[in-house]
Amino acid sequence: MEYMSERACTLTGVTREESYREPLSFMRNSLTTDREAFGAAAAKAIEGCEDFTWEGDAVVRGASRLLRIEMTPDPGCGDEVVYNGTIIDLTESRLSRSRRDKLASAVALMDRALLELREATAGSVPPDRQDLKWATLSAREGQVADLLLKGLSNKELASRLDLSESTVKKHVNSLFQKLGVSSRAELFLFDRRRA
């Protein structure tokens, strides 16, 4: 390898001097997730004097990076095959996609919550604080709360709603948290103040 840019050295964790001494050192130092597949594909490309493209995860200086390597053989080098190419760091674009996906999920969740709140308060008088808390419950949590107020046990709730007991417990814990109560007795008092 005759020349390796500073950016390529940074991406691969290899100095120019190392790349001169051992041309494939950047591959050995960086690629970790599918080393065997990468090595086989690189060997095949070199043997057939073909273009080589690889994209995958690599660990460079202890940090996980998503790299794309594109190399083309230089036909004017006589018996020795010399590849020219680029190493592209795609890590930031992967992180940006991940952040966009998380943001889209959060927005969708907020939209659903707002829709449920609007449906719960449609056509009613302006709600007080208890009603606002009650309106934050999902439809299923509202069903569970209504049945709890009728005195049903978790086992009876599970049977009535065709759910597992563990799912019922999750709904109970969630609605307790949303309403700011910690027991069935507090739920009963909460409901009485709301009425």
Side-chain angles (χ1 to χ4, degrees):
M1 180 175 297
E2 292 182 17
Y3 174 76
M4 196 164 171
S5 71
E6 285 299 320
R7 179 74 175 139
C9 290
T10 301
L11 287 176
T12 60
V14 174
T15 66
R16 282 189 182 162
E17 292 75 27
E18 289 171 316
S19 72
Y20 297 145
R21 281 193 311 274
E22 189 179 342
L24 297 179
S25 61
F26 76 94
M27 292 179 203
R28 185 192 68 247
N29 288 357
S30 300
L31 309 176
T32 59
T33 57
D34 58 356
R35 186 175 297 203
E36 288 179 22
F38 177 85
K44 182 181 175 196
I46 290 170
E47 184 178 307
C49 200
E50 302 169 349
D51 288 354
F52 175 74
T53 301
W54 177 85
E55 185 174 305
D57 290 313
V59 176
V60 179
R61 295 184 180 158
S64 179
R65 310 299 298 173
L66 175 62
L67 299 181
R68 179 176 177 84
I69 299 173
E70 299 172 349
M71 299 192 310
T72 304
D74 186 348
C77 296
D79 293 338
E80 185 179 339
V81 177
V82 175
Y83 276 82
N84 296 313
T86 59
I87 301 172
I88 305 163
D89 188 352
L90 302 173
T91 306
E92 292 305 317
S93 79
R94 175 174 55 185
L95 292 174
S96 295
R97 273 195 310 271
S98 175
R99 289 181 190 126
R100 273 195 313 267
D101 293 346
K102 287 178 183 174
L103 181 59
S105 295
V107 168
L109 184 63
M110 298 268 302
D111 285 344
R112 281 194 304 274
L114 184 58
L115 181 62
E116 287 179 15
L117 182 61
R118 284 185 183 142
E119 288 173 355
T121 59
S124 65
V125 294
D128 65 9
R129 288 184 93 161
Q130 249 81 0
D131 287 335
L132 284 174
K133 284 184 176 182
W134 195 268
T136 64
L137 300 180
S138 69
R140 180 62 86 182
E141 289 167 343
Q143 287 177 318
V144 170
D146 289 338
L147 294 173
L148 283 173
L149 292 168
K150 292 180 181 177
L152 273 68
S153 68
N154 284 357
K155 190 171 190 171
E156 292 168 323
L157 280 166
S159 175
R160 176 86 57 97
L161 298 174
D162 196 28
L163 299 171
S164 70
E165 273 192 71
S166 65
T167 301
V168 168
K169 286 179 186 176
K170 288 177 186 174
H171 286 306
V172 169
N173 289 333
S174 178
L175 75 92
F176 278 8
Q177 185 178 12
K178 287 180 179 180
L179 298 178
V181 300
S182 59
S183 68
R184 292 168 191 246
E186 285 184 21
L187 176 64
F188 184 79
L189 291 173
F190 180 95
D191 188 58
R192 290 292 160 235
R193 284 192 299 259
R194 194 172 69 93

